[in-house]
Amino acid sequence: MNTRRHLLPPMLSVCVAFALLAAPGRGQTLPGTQPLTMTGDLSAQMVAGIDKFLDRELEASVATRAQFWKRDFTSAEAYEKSVAPNRERLRKIIGAVDARLPVKELEFVGGTGTPSKIAENAGCTIYAVRWPVFDGVHGEGLLIEPRGKAVANIIALSDADQTPEQLCGLAPGLAPEGQFARRLAEHGCRVLVPVQLSREDTFSGSTVLNRWTNLPHREWIWRMAWELGRNPIGYEVQKVLAAVDFFGTPNSGSARAGLETGAPIGIAGYGEGGLVALYAAALDPRIKATVVSGYLDSRQKIPSEPGYRAVWSLLKEFGDAEIASLIAPRPLIIEHRRASETAGSPKPREGRRAIATPGKITTPDFSSVEAEVARAKQLAGKFGDKIEFIYGTEGATISPSSDKWLASLFTSLGLSLRLVEPAPMPVDLRKDFNPAERQRRTVKELEDYTQNILHACERTRAANFWNTIKATNAATWETLLPKFRHDFDENVMGQWNNEPVALNPRSRPAVSVLTGAPLLPDTVSVAAHDVTLEVFPDVFAWGVLLLPKDLKPGERRPVVVCQHGLEGLPEHCITEDKTERAWAAYKAFALRLAKRGFIVFVPHNPYRGQDAFRTLQRKSWALGRHLFSIIHAQHGRILDWLETQPFVDAKRIAFYGLSYGGKSAMRIPAVHERYRLSICSGDFNEWVRKNAATDYPSSYLYTGEYEIFEWNLGHTCNYAEMAALIAPRPFMVERGHFDGVGVDEWVDYEYAKVRRFYAQLGLASRTEIEHFWGPHTIHGEGTFDFLHKHLNWPKK
């Protein structure tokens, strides 16, 4: 994290400062600050400002991507070599990283009552097939064999709302000209049509738990996969590349099966299939020609698309144009076809929780697609003429499709074929075939595979983290910490390195966001001040400073930064009104600590506003950042300011947060070592499992917090690893036995690693866990003692 300091405005003398603090008036500001004149909901204004900041960063990303590319146009071979690092980074961020199984043959899918040869006519025969991809995971779909020798091997990908049968003309739903798999076969191509994860929600849930959601199948897999560095896009690309392995490897199973290994390989996809086709061709040069229909566009609005399209850090290095440039110098045909539009997720119905990420798919304007195609051609340099753009009259979409791209595809594959009229539709020989069972297999195979990765990821963390640490004392660990902390800050959280603006502190006597009334009456022994600090353009930090009125001139006291939870406000940590809902969770812990003599600062973190703040996370993901990347920057400025105050002992600043504030207690002090102590309340957990496990009722797979997931955390940092980044500073967990965020067994399992590590450093006394008989709430007993002990502040 960038911790560059900025000089504050000149401070009043210490004596004058304490005189003002001792008897604050309603119109007074804190010494060294300007008047705070903002009105209204500062929380909403904070979220709106961050949104503006992120929008600018998204817009700027198009130009800044160039720094990641070193294209060499001297020859096709030189170009392929020069973009190889970009190709590998794309492979990583879509999660296409697992080794595939060899494909010796395509397996026929059928049974005693269901034939594997499902249709034939004068031009072709259609089989139900599958092929191995990973252990327990198959590609599955239809294989169309032409009569006579195949002139090409084509992988045809439908949209997620279509079935292979529709693409082959075996089921209703598509006009004949839209059945492009059948059209390809009629021209002598061997065509493989994989099944796609659908947008239905039928299998998004758990039979064991009897818990069901309205998550599209694509998002159901996306949620669990994202936490583990995987993505359904990557999974589907891997299924395609496994088919390419079969078709494209000399002496492979395709040769043994009598298939022509010399036939060129092409790929064509529409809608979600177009997305997969684009990525697959970008990763694998064995694909000689590519058709992308109804998909390619500027991806700058990806945060408003369905959640399952999210790709970690995509826009930092790639838009569709950059991905298209990875296909060069091979031919790419882009068809401006009406998108498979969707207004959102499946409508909630009885027995299913409505938790899906909002987002829609619309047909992009021609001008937007045209501009992205022009960018792709420019990026591809002298190979840009290999990119062809097909569209209707005056930029109209082509609907449902046209034969023009067929002719271009054949030419791109070196084939001289005359286009023929569509043949009579074949008839499905299967009786009462229902594609739902095949979709269930597709979903459950990927679900089980991802759960196996979840179970194994702890070993990866151990190999990359714990097993590399030989430190047996604090001094040795502190020499190793910078590398681990940098890796966490830069590669896991994604820090902002933007130049900070002037701090410009502003203050006023604190008022309630909810009522507009003074936050504390003058009769209380503590004074409360709203404080704002500038972070980046349009981004500010805001919190409430609580100052005991018995502060003496020249006295410096320890500070406790008290952090609220989800949808909370600073005032929720302060209110003593036991009729308010906030009391049940927070127990006025910030005010109670101030009454014990601590200086207390209660920041506002921007996880309030439901979809408004969750959109910030989606925008951040696209740039390789998290919402916590902004929060880290805000806390850096808070620490900058607190350290300069005449009443603060900068060596004794602690962090204490509940719930989402507990998440903050794990992530913020892990980066900001100026927090000398951290207490995680109501959140410490086997966090990765909580996010990705299907067998836990309170898993985030079953809740509406779609922003909660953190890319590849399972292979990098669970909570024990984060706590190690806090060490050797004191660390404590506060845990209610009936806190639904987790179960004691999980919490204690993860905490045992923390305790062991502190003991390894000879610092077992610096970490504690307190269990209490209660729910998701501040307990405020052992934690308060912990603060007094480690901040060296006497109890009153």
Side-chain angles (χ1 to χ4, degrees):
M1 179 64 61
N2 191 325
T3 56
R4 178 174 175 174
R5 311 294 175 83
H6 287 261
L7 293 177
L8 299 175
M11 301 291 289
L12 297 176
S13 72
V14 173
C15 291
V16 174
F18 279 97
L20 286 173
L21 294 174
R26 282 287 164 215
Q28 292 177 344
T29 61
L30 289 169
T33 68
Q34 297 297 313
L36 174 57
T37 58
M38 294 174 68
T39 59
D41 188 340
L42 269 64
S43 169
Q45 292 174 57
M46 178 185 290
V47 169
I50 297 170
D51 193 53
K52 289 181 181 179
F53 170 80
L54 291 173
D55 282 346
R56 283 197 304 272
E57 293 292 326
L58 286 167
E59 184 177 359
S61 69
V62 178
T64 58
R65 289 171 202 158
Q67 66 185 300
F68 300 105
W69 297 79
K70 307 296 180 185
R71 295 181 177 89
D72 182 348
F73 295 106
T74 56
S75 68
E77 294 76 14
Y79 182 81
E80 288 280 4
K81 184 177 179 180
S82 70
V83 299
N86 306 87
R87 180 172 285 133
E88 288 310 304
R89 287 194 289 270
L90 179 64
R91 188 188 308 277
K92 184 175 180 180
I93 65 175
I94 66 170
V97 295
D98 298 315
R100 297 187 296 274
L101 295 174
V103 186
K104 297 179 179 179
E105 59 184 359
L106 301 183
E107 303 171 22
F108 292 126
V109 177
T112 55
T114 307
S116 58
K117 185 171 79 172
I118 65 171
E120 63 180 332
N121 62 14
C124 65
T125 305
I126 304 177
Y127 300 91
V129 297
R130 71 174 191 170
W131 58 99
V133 183
F134 314 124
D135 283 333
V137 175
H138 299 83
E140 187 169 354
L142 302 181
L143 174 68
I144 312 179
E145 280 287 347
R147 299 295 185 194
K149 182 179 179 180
V151 297
N153 295 310
I154 308 294
I155 299 166
L157 296 159
S158 67
D159 181 62
D161 285 336
Q162 300 169 347
T163 66
E165 284 73 18
Q166 290 175 311
L167 217 57
C168 296
L170 295 175
L174 288 179
E177 55 268 34
Q179 299 164 10
F180 62 86
R182 181 169 69 95
R183 295 289 288 139
L184 287 162
E186 288 169 350
H187 289 84
C189 298
R190 176 179 297 107
V191 185
L192 183 63
V193 192
V195 174
Q196 302 277 84
L197 284 166
S198 78
R199 298 188 184 98
E200 299 170 329
D201 63 4
T202 310
F203 308 110
S204 298
S206 169
T207 303
V208 173
L209 299 177
N210 193 27
R211 183 159 297 213
W212 301 97
T213 75
N214 77 325
L215 296 176
H217 294 150
R218 303 184 75 81
E219 185 175 350
W220 171 247
I221 298 301
W222 178 93
R223 287 194 175 198
M224 63 184 79
W226 184 272
E227 197 76 8
L228 302 165
R230 306 299 192 274
N231 191 307
I233 294 172
Y235 283 153
E236 292 192 327
V237 166
Q238 290 275 58
K239 290 186 177 187
V240 167
L241 298 187
V244 173
D245 293 341
F246 176 71
F247 286 134
T249 304
N251 302 315
S252 70
S254 60
R256 289 192 296 274
L259 305 184
E260 300 77 15
T261 57
I265 300 173
I267 189 168
Y270 165 67
E272 229 61 31
L275 180 160
V276 175
L278 179 69
Y279 282 75
L283 293 185
D284 199 329
R286 294 176 297 172
I287 298 172
K288 298 306 179 184
T290 304
V291 178
V292 175
S293 175
Y295 173 73
L296 192 134
D297 186 23
S298 166
R299 294 265 79 83
Q300 296 304 108
K301 295 182 180 179
I302 196 170
S304 64
E305 297 179 31
Y308 51 75
R309 282 190 171 181
V311 173
W312 171 252
S313 75
L314 178 69
L315 298 184
K316 187 176 179 180
E317 185 171 349
F318 303 98
D320 280 3
E322 284 79 10
I323 297 172
S325 76
L326 289 174
I327 298 175
R330 293 164 287 140
L332 169 62
I333 302 153
I334 299 160
E335 183 181 52
H336 182 43
R337 180 178 169 186
R338 183 178 180 85
S340 180
E341 297 185 341
T342 173
S345 303
K347 292 182 179 180
R349 58 189 193 274
E350 186 176 355
R352 290 182 179 266
R353 303 188 69 184
I355 63 170
T357 304
K360 59 184 180 180
I361 297 173
T362 60
T363 301
D365 293 337
F366 172 75
S367 60
S368 178
V369 181
E370 183 181 41
E372 194 70 6
V373 172
R375 250 186 10 97
K377 290 184 175 183
Q378 184 271 325
L379 292 171
K382 70 178 187 180
F383 306 118
D385 59 356
K386 295 289 188 178
I387 300 175
E388 181 180 358
F389 186 27
I390 298 174
Y391 51 88
T393 305
E394 296 183 350
T397 57
I398 295 173
S399 182
S401 191
S402 74
D403 279 351
K404 188 174 181 180
W405 71 259
L406 282 176
S408 295
L409 176 63
F410 296 148
T411 300
S412 297
L413 292 172
L415 306 176
S416 298
L417 298 176
R418 180 177 60 85
L419 294 183
V420 300
E421 292 297 317
M425 292 186 183
V427 177
D428 196 331
L429 301 177
R430 297 169 295 185
K431 295 180 180 179
D432 302 319
F433 172 73
N434 185 340
E437 174 57 26
R438 185 179 59 197
Q439 181 68 204
R440 187 196 69 80
R441 290 195 298 271
T442 300
V443 173
K444 291 305 174 184
E445 283 185 355
L446 289 176
E447 178 185 314
D448 291 346
Y449 181 75
T450 306
Q451 292 301 299
N452 286 337
I453 296 175
L454 171 63
H455 298 152
C457 69
E458 185 174 20
R459 292 195 296 271
T460 302
R461 292 197 307 275
N464 296 336
F465 190 90
W466 300 111
N467 295 351
T468 68
I469 299 171
K470 307 303 180 184
T472 57
N473 55 65
T476 304
W477 176 229
E478 286 181 324
T479 66
L480 302 174
L481 258 174
K483 174 190 178 299
F484 288 101
R485 185 173 286 135
H486 177 268
D487 287 346
F488 176 75
D489 191 20
E490 180 69 26
N491 301 321
V492 180
M493 289 293 102
Q495 66 169 303
W496 287 105
N497 290 312
N498 303 49
E499 192 71 17
V501 297
L503 201 55
N504 193 22
R506 298 180 180 274
S507 69
R508 69 183 177 206
V511 296
S512 167
V513 167
L514 301 174
T515 68
L519 198 56
L520 290 177
D522 288 338
T523 54
V524 176
S525 62
V526 175
H529 293 265
D530 283 318
V531 177
T532 64
L533 308 164
E534 301 297 326
V535 181
F536 303 129
D538 291 315
V539 179
F540 65 92
W542 159 55
V544 175
L545 179 69
L546 300 180
L547 293 170
K549 292 180 180 178
D550 62 355
L551 271 170
K552 298 178 178 60
E555 182 184 16
R556 291 182 180 270
R557 293 191 184 182
V559 179
V560 183
V561 173
C562 295
Q563 192 64 65
H564 64 77
L566 181 65
E567 297 294 335
L569 289 163
E571 61 195 75
H572 291 149
C573 302
I574 298 169
T575 180
E576 292 185 296
D577 185 348
K578 296 183 180 181
T579 65
E580 289 192 15
R581 184 178 178 184
W583 168 264
Y586 296 106
K587 304 292 193 299
F589 77 114
L591 183 58
R592 288 163 59 200
L593 286 167
K595 288 181 176 180
R596 287 174 173 241
F598 293 102
I599 307 294
V600 174
F601 191 80
V602 192
H604 181 67
N605 279 358
Y607 34 71
R608 179 173 179 263
Q610 299 187 24
D611 285 342
F613 93 79
R614 293 190 167 102
T615 297
L616 305 181
Q617 181 76 304
R618 298 186 66 192
K619 292 180 178 181
S620 297
W621 284 338
L623 295 166
R625 309 291 199 281
H626 287 278
L627 181 58
F628 270 106
S629 305
I630 288 286
I631 295 172
H632 284 170
Q634 290 173 315
H635 277 260
R637 305 321 299 278
I638 289 168
L639 288 164
D640 289 345
W641 183 74
L642 284 173
E643 288 183 337
T644 66
Q645 300 311 297
F647 43 80
V648 169
D649 182 345
K651 299 298 183 184
R652 292 188 290 168
I653 302 178
F655 194 102
Y656 184 1
L658 171 70
S659 193
Y660 230 113
K663 298 182 200 345
S664 305
M666 299 308 304
R667 291 158 180 80
I668 296 171
V671 171
H672 286 297
E673 56 189 317
R674 289 180 285 170
Y675 282 120
R676 306 307 299 172
L677 176 157
S678 185
I679 299 174
C680 176
S681 177
D683 190 69
F684 191 89
N685 218 320
E686 214 285 25
W687 179 251
V688 172
R689 187 177 175 191
K690 162 117 174 142
N691 277 267
T694 58
D695 60 356
Y696 177 51
S698 293
S699 167
Y700 283 113
L701 296 179
Y702 303 112
T703 73
E705 289 101 330
Y706 56 81
E707 86 291 348
I708 207 74
F709 306 97
E710 294 160 292
W711 172 253
N712 203 25
L713 205 66
H715 292 104
T716 54
C717 279
N718 207 342
Y719 272 14
E721 287 82 8
M722 293 183 202
L725 298 181
I726 295 171
R729 294 164 289 161
F731 172 73
M732 184 174 180
V733 173
E734 185 175 49
R735 161 73 191 167
H737 285 303
F738 309 116
D739 190 338
V741 303
V743 293
D744 286 346
E745 291 82 355
W746 285 19
V747 173
D748 291 351
Y749 174 82
E750 190 70 8
Y751 178 74
K753 303 175 193 177
V754 179
R755 178 61 182 244
R756 180 178 61 205
F757 185 64
Y758 272 77
Q760 176 181 325
L761 300 180
L763 301 172
S765 63
R766 290 193 186 181
T767 185
E768 295 180 23
I769 185 169
E770 180 190 37
H771 296 86
F772 64 92
W773 199 258
H776 187 66
T777 183
I778 292 287
H779 188 50
E781 292 188 9
T783 52
F784 283 18
D785 290 343
F786 194 77
L787 289 167
H788 281 288
K789 174 184 175 181
H790 291 286
L791 294 180
N792 193 26
W793 183 250
K795 294 183 183 180
K796 288 191 176 182

